[in-house]
Amino acid sequence: AQKITQTQPGMFVQEKEAVTLDCTYDTSDPSYGLFWYKQPSSGEMIFLIYQGSYDQQNATEGRYSLNFQKARKSANLVISASQLGDSAMYFCAMRVLNSGYSTLTFGKGTMLLVSP
Amino acid sequence: GAVVSQHPSWVICKSGTSVKIECRSLDFQATTMFWYRQFPKQSLMLMATSNEGSKATYEQGVEKDKFLINHASLTLSTLTVTSAHPEDSSFYICSAPLAGGRSSYEQYFGPGTRLTVT
């Protein structure tokens, strides 16, 4: 079974500063994918970034980067130059990749508030 | 990119009635769709996996007779909450994976349906 742990219920950051959202995971499967999703108050789940377990380099997507430390089983999300529109709930998730369309396992989420 | 729609976006119903929520993949075919439930300030919890042409697979603790899932076509899955009660009030989200390329590992989420049972 897979498990995702997000230990930060809430985070505050000032506009234009960088922020790191923590995520640790646990799985016995060697082939897996790690995801970060943003959920604004509207409820929609917005895909931000993906990291495969065999990827050698950390994933980056614009202002988002994933700090992947495989030995520590951590996949922290780094948001650079925070914007007011980044205020939302952020979920870390994972799924096993070797079994077809396996489902995502989500962490409990971190609420990010960006202040002016 | 791939789009998944849900209808309705919100619904209010009386206790004891049934509510049907539709999940459609608009520009791709989805043999598998997932249904999640999210209570306020909580994470998404998988309820069931919807399989086109076969029975849905339910997660432990989810009543299959209460949450009826029908995946009748490659673009449509429906979730019917039967005899709804106030404790069924929640945000229901569907997702569908898209085969091929980068999207092979990505799931596309619908916008969600907020159900309130009075």
Side-chain angles (χ1 to χ4, degrees), chain A residues 3-68:
Chain A
K3 184 178 180 181
I4 294 285
T5 303
Q6 293 180 255
T7 58
Q8 306 155 314
M11 289 286 286
F12 294 90
V13 66
Q14 275 201 316
E15 201 176 6
K16 299 180 184 177
E17 292 188 348
V19 63
T20 297
L21 306 184
D22 295 341
C23 173
T24 58
Y25 61 93
D26 191 25
T27 180
S28 58
D29 206 289
S31 180
Y32 53 88
L34 296 158
F35 304 77
W36 277 93
Y37 287 88
K38 172 184 177 182
Q39 187 180 42
S41 56
S42 61
E44 61 182 313
M45 296 292 286
I46 302 170
F47 167 77
L48 296 178
I49 197 166
Y50 166 83
Q51 180 85 44
S53 59
Y54 294 119
D55 293 345
Q56 296 295 318
Q57 294 188 331
N58 288 342
T60 60
E61 291 283 353
R63 295 187 298 112
Y64 305 107
S65 60
L66 199 151
N67 184 1
F68 182 45

Side-chain angles (χ1 to χ4, degrees), chain A residues 81-102:
Chain A
S82 298
Q83 301 172 356
L84 296 178
D86 293 335
S87 293
M89 195 74 167
Y90 288 79
F91 291 99
C92 180
M94 76 175 295
R95 77 174 184 91
V96 170
L97 298 181
N98 63 356
S99 57
Y101 293 137
S102 62

